[in-house]
Amino acid sequence: MAQAVLAARLSRNPYSQVGACIVNNIMKIVGIGYNGMPRERDDYKFYWHIPRGTSTFFDCIVVPYAEINALRSRNSTDVADCTIYVTLFPCNNCAKKIIEIY
């Protein structure tokens, strides 16, 4: 869980900083992610300051969440017996993706 908290500090999102860490059954880290832009995009050039009422809707569409980034950056194809630690409760879309992968 401490790795998820440290990963959350990497996020540049001013509204919520979320981190996720996937570990296997012998407690080795399989993947780490935070809510931020994909690897191809620069976090510094992204316009983070958007109206408060649209932040959740906007983040779901443009900015990948921590759980999705952790699943994308995993170093193992088999995550059947793994555990994911997240600093905030996953949204509905992320929960669906986690269930699909597991």
Side-chain angles (χ1 to χ4, degrees):
M1 188 63 186
Q3 289 292 332
V5 172
L6 288 174
R9 298 185 74 186
L10 295 172
S11 175
R12 302 202 192 292
N13 189 341
Y15 301 109
S16 66
Q17 293 185 332
V18 183
C21 181
I22 303 172
V23 295
N24 61 8
N25 55 358
I26 57 171
M27 291 306 201
K28 293 226 179 202
I29 295 174
V30 175
I32 295 177
Y34 60 92
N35 60 333
M37 296 301 287
R39 281 183 232 149
E40 301 84 28
R41 304 288 178 227
D42 190 9
D43 278 344
Y44 292 106
K45 294 179 182 178
F46 186 69
Y47 184 67
W48 286 106
H49 303 287
I50 54 178
R52 280 257 183 209
T54 60
S55 66
T56 306
F57 176 72
F58 189 71
D59 283 349
C60 287
I61 294 173
V62 177
V63 180
Y65 283 161
E67 302 89 342
I68 304 303
N69 281 332
L71 289 169
R72 285 182 184 162
S73 70
R74 68 182 187 263
N75 59 6
S76 174
T77 56
D78 184 26
V79 290
D81 293 329
C82 293
T83 304
I84 185 166
Y85 295 97
V86 186
T87 57
L88 288 177
F89 196 78
C91 69
N92 290 337
N93 291 332
C94 290
K96 288 176 192 175
K97 294 280 187 187
I98 291 169
I99 292 169
E100 281 179 16
I101 299 292
Y102 288 120

Short mmCIF file of all heavy atoms in Angstrom, two decimals, residues 3-5 7 11 16-17 20 30 35 38-39 42 45 52 54 59 67-68 72 75 79 89 94 96 102:
data_model
loop_
_atom_site.label_atom_id
_atom_site.label_comp_id
_atom_site.label_asym_id
_atom_site.label_seq_id
_atom_site.Cartn_x
_atom_site.Cartn_y
_atom_site.Cartn_z
N GLN A 3 3.61 1.66 -1.59
CA GLN A 3 4.02 1.94 -2.97
C GLN A 3 2.92 2.65 -3.73
O GLN A 3 3.19 3.52 -4.57
CB GLN A 3 4.38 0.63 -3.69
CG GLN A 3 5.66 0.01 -3.20
CD GLN A 3 6.87 0.86 -3.57
OE1 GLN A 3 6.87 1.59 -4.56
NE2 GLN A 3 7.90 0.77 -2.77
N ALA A 4 1.66 2.33 -3.46
CA ALA A 4 0.54 3.01 -4.11
C ALA A 4 0.48 4.47 -3.66
O ALA A 4 0.21 5.37 -4.46
CB ALA A 4 -0.77 2.30 -3.80
N VAL A 5 0.74 4.71 -2.39
CA VAL A 5 0.74 6.09 -1.87
C VAL A 5 1.88 6.88 -2.51
O VAL A 5 1.71 8.05 -2.89
CB VAL A 5 0.85 6.08 -0.34
CG1 VAL A 5 1.06 7.48 0.20
CG2 VAL A 5 -0.39 5.46 0.27
N ALA A 7 3.26 6.28 -5.44
CA ALA A 7 2.92 6.47 -6.86
C ALA A 7 1.91 7.60 -7.02
O ALA A 7 1.96 8.34 -8.01
CB ALA A 7 2.37 5.18 -7.45
N SER A 11 1.31 12.01 -9.55
CA SER A 11 0.22 12.57 -10.35
C SER A 11 0.23 14.09 -10.31
O SER A 11 0.46 14.69 -9.27
CB SER A 11 -1.12 12.05 -9.82
OG SER A 11 -2.17 12.68 -10.50
N SER A 16 -7.39 15.17 -7.68
CA SER A 16 -7.19 13.92 -6.94
C SER A 16 -5.90 13.27 -7.39
O SER A 16 -5.61 13.18 -8.58
CB SER A 16 -8.36 12.97 -7.16
OG SER A 16 -8.40 12.57 -8.51
N GLN A 17 -5.12 12.83 -6.43
CA GLN A 17 -3.90 12.09 -6.72
C GLN A 17 -4.12 10.66 -6.26
O GLN A 17 -4.24 10.39 -5.08
CB GLN A 17 -2.71 12.72 -6.01
CG GLN A 17 -2.38 14.09 -6.55
CD GLN A 17 -1.13 14.66 -5.92
OE1 GLN A 17 -0.79 14.33 -4.80
NE2 GLN A 17 -0.45 15.51 -6.66
N ALA A 20 -1.83 3.26 -7.67
CA ALA A 20 -2.21 1.85 -7.65
C ALA A 20 -0.95 1.00 -7.75
O ALA A 20 0.02 1.37 -8.44
CB ALA A 20 -3.14 1.52 -8.81
N VAL A 30 4.21 -6.17 -9.46
CA VAL A 30 3.97 -6.53 -10.86
C VAL A 30 3.73 -5.27 -11.70
O VAL A 30 4.15 -5.20 -12.84
CB VAL A 30 2.79 -7.50 -10.97
CG1 VAL A 30 2.44 -7.79 -12.40
CG2 VAL A 30 3.09 -8.78 -10.23
N ASN A 35 -2.80 8.30 -11.65
CA ASN A 35 -3.68 8.94 -12.61
C ASN A 35 -2.92 10.07 -13.28
O ASN A 35 -2.52 11.04 -12.66
CB ASN A 35 -4.99 9.41 -11.97
CG ASN A 35 -4.79 10.41 -10.86
OD1 ASN A 35 -3.77 10.43 -10.21
ND2 ASN A 35 -5.78 11.24 -10.63
N PRO A 38 -1.02 9.31 -20.62
CA PRO A 38 -0.27 8.16 -21.13
C PRO A 38 1.18 8.51 -21.38
O PRO A 38 1.57 9.68 -21.41
CB PRO A 38 -0.99 7.82 -22.44
CG PRO A 38 -2.30 8.48 -22.36
CD PRO A 38 -2.15 9.66 -21.47
N ARG A 39 1.99 7.50 -21.58
CA ARG A 39 3.43 7.71 -21.75
C ARG A 39 3.77 8.62 -22.93
O ARG A 39 4.75 9.33 -22.91
CB ARG A 39 4.13 6.37 -21.97
CG ARG A 39 4.34 5.63 -20.70
CD ARG A 39 5.08 4.34 -20.96
NE ARG A 39 4.30 3.29 -20.34
CZ ARG A 39 4.23 2.07 -20.75
NH1 ARG A 39 4.87 1.71 -21.83
NH2 ARG A 39 3.50 1.20 -20.12
N ASP A 42 2.83 14.51 -22.64
CA ASP A 42 3.57 15.21 -21.59
C ASP A 42 2.59 15.78 -20.56
O ASP A 42 1.66 16.50 -20.92
CB ASP A 42 4.40 16.33 -22.20
CG ASP A 42 5.37 16.94 -21.21
OD1 ASP A 42 5.51 16.39 -20.10
OD2 ASP A 42 5.98 17.97 -21.56
N LYS A 45 2.35 19.78 -20.41
CA LYS A 45 1.65 20.53 -21.45
C LYS A 45 0.13 20.38 -21.37
O LYS A 45 -0.59 21.03 -22.09
CB LYS A 45 2.12 20.06 -22.83
CG LYS A 45 3.57 20.40 -23.09
CD LYS A 45 4.00 19.91 -24.44
CE LYS A 45 5.46 20.22 -24.67
NZ LYS A 45 5.93 19.72 -25.95
N ARG A 52 -14.65 23.05 -12.18
CA ARG A 52 -14.86 22.06 -11.12
C ARG A 52 -15.98 21.08 -11.43
O ARG A 52 -15.87 19.91 -11.14
CB ARG A 52 -15.17 22.77 -9.80
CG ARG A 52 -13.95 23.27 -9.14
CD ARG A 52 -13.58 22.35 -8.02
NE ARG A 52 -12.43 22.89 -7.34
CZ ARG A 52 -11.57 22.17 -6.73
NH1 ARG A 52 -11.70 20.88 -6.69
NH2 ARG A 52 -10.53 22.72 -6.13
N THR A 54 -16.95 19.77 -14.16
CA THR A 54 -16.69 18.82 -15.23
C THR A 54 -15.46 17.97 -14.99
O THR A 54 -15.09 17.18 -15.83
CB THR A 54 -16.51 19.57 -16.56
OG1 THR A 54 -15.40 20.46 -16.43
CG2 THR A 54 -17.76 20.32 -16.95
N ASP A 59 -11.95 13.74 -16.59
CA ASP A 59 -10.89 12.80 -16.25
C ASP A 59 -11.18 11.41 -16.79
O ASP A 59 -10.27 10.72 -17.23
CB ASP A 59 -10.70 12.71 -14.73
CG ASP A 59 -9.95 13.91 -14.18
OD1 ASP A 59 -9.41 14.68 -15.00
OD2 ASP A 59 -9.90 14.07 -12.96
N GLU A 67 -5.51 2.75 -11.82
CA GLU A 67 -5.69 1.31 -11.99
C GLU A 67 -5.40 0.89 -13.42
O GLU A 67 -4.75 -0.13 -13.67
CB GLU A 67 -7.12 0.89 -11.61
CG GLU A 67 -7.50 1.24 -10.20
CD GLU A 67 -8.13 2.63 -10.09
OE1 GLU A 67 -7.96 3.46 -11.00
OE2 GLU A 67 -8.79 2.87 -9.08
N ILE A 68 -5.87 1.68 -14.36
CA ILE A 68 -5.66 1.37 -15.78
C ILE A 68 -4.17 1.49 -16.12
O ILE A 68 -3.62 0.64 -16.82
CB ILE A 68 -6.50 2.31 -16.67
CG1 ILE A 68 -7.99 2.22 -16.30
CG2 ILE A 68 -6.28 2.02 -18.14
CD1 ILE A 68 -8.57 0.84 -16.39
N ARG A 72 -1.71 -1.45 -17.46
CA ARG A 72 -0.96 -1.29 -18.71
C ARG A 72 0.54 -1.48 -18.51
O ARG A 72 1.23 -1.95 -19.40
CB ARG A 72 -1.21 0.09 -19.31
CG ARG A 72 -2.55 0.24 -19.94
CD ARG A 72 -2.70 1.61 -20.53
NE ARG A 72 -4.04 1.79 -21.05
CZ ARG A 72 -4.57 2.97 -21.31
NH1 ARG A 72 -3.87 4.07 -21.11
NH2 ARG A 72 -5.79 3.06 -21.77
N ASN A 75 4.39 -6.04 -15.62
CA ASN A 75 5.48 -6.77 -16.26
C ASN A 75 5.18 -8.27 -16.34
O ASN A 75 6.06 -9.06 -16.59
CB ASN A 75 6.79 -6.53 -15.52
CG ASN A 75 6.71 -6.94 -14.06
OD1 ASN A 75 5.73 -7.50 -13.61
ND2 ASN A 75 7.75 -6.64 -13.32
N VAL A 79 -2.03 -12.17 -14.25
CA VAL A 79 -2.27 -11.49 -12.98
C VAL A 79 -3.43 -12.15 -12.23
O VAL A 79 -4.13 -11.51 -11.46
CB VAL A 79 -2.55 -9.98 -13.19
CG1 VAL A 79 -1.31 -9.25 -13.62
CG2 VAL A 79 -3.68 -9.78 -14.18
N PHE A 89 -11.12 4.35 -3.80
CA PHE A 89 -11.98 3.29 -4.32
C PHE A 89 -12.11 3.45 -5.84
O PHE A 89 -12.37 4.56 -6.32
CB PHE A 89 -13.34 3.35 -3.65
CG PHE A 89 -14.15 2.11 -3.82
CD1 PHE A 89 -13.87 0.98 -3.06
CD2 PHE A 89 -15.16 2.05 -4.76
CE1 PHE A 89 -14.60 -0.18 -3.23
CE2 PHE A 89 -15.90 0.90 -4.93
CZ PHE A 89 -15.62 -0.22 -4.16
N CYS A 94 -13.22 1.50 -13.98
CA CYS A 94 -11.98 0.84 -13.58
C CYS A 94 -12.26 -0.51 -12.94
O CYS A 94 -11.53 -1.46 -13.16
CB CYS A 94 -11.20 1.73 -12.61
SG CYS A 94 -10.50 3.18 -13.41
N LYS A 96 -14.69 -2.48 -13.67
CA LYS A 96 -15.00 -3.41 -14.77
C LYS A 96 -13.73 -3.89 -15.45
O LYS A 96 -13.60 -5.07 -15.77
CB LYS A 96 -15.90 -2.71 -15.80
CG LYS A 96 -17.31 -2.48 -15.32
CD LYS A 96 -18.08 -1.70 -16.36
CE LYS A 96 -19.40 -1.20 -15.82
NZ LYS A 96 -20.09 -0.34 -16.79
N TYR A 102 -8.62 -9.78 -14.41
CA TYR A 102 -8.44 -10.85 -13.45
C TYR A 102 -9.32 -12.02 -13.81
O TYR A 102 -9.22 -13.08 -13.44
CB TYR A 102 -8.74 -10.39 -12.02
CG TYR A 102 -7.68 -9.48 -11.46
CD1 TYR A 102 -7.98 -8.19 -11.07
CD2 TYR A 102 -6.38 -9.93 -11.34
CE1 TYR A 102 -7.00 -7.37 -10.56
CE2 TYR A 102 -5.40 -9.10 -10.83
CZ TYR A 102 -5.71 -7.83 -10.43
OH TYR A 102 -4.76 -7.01 -9.93
#
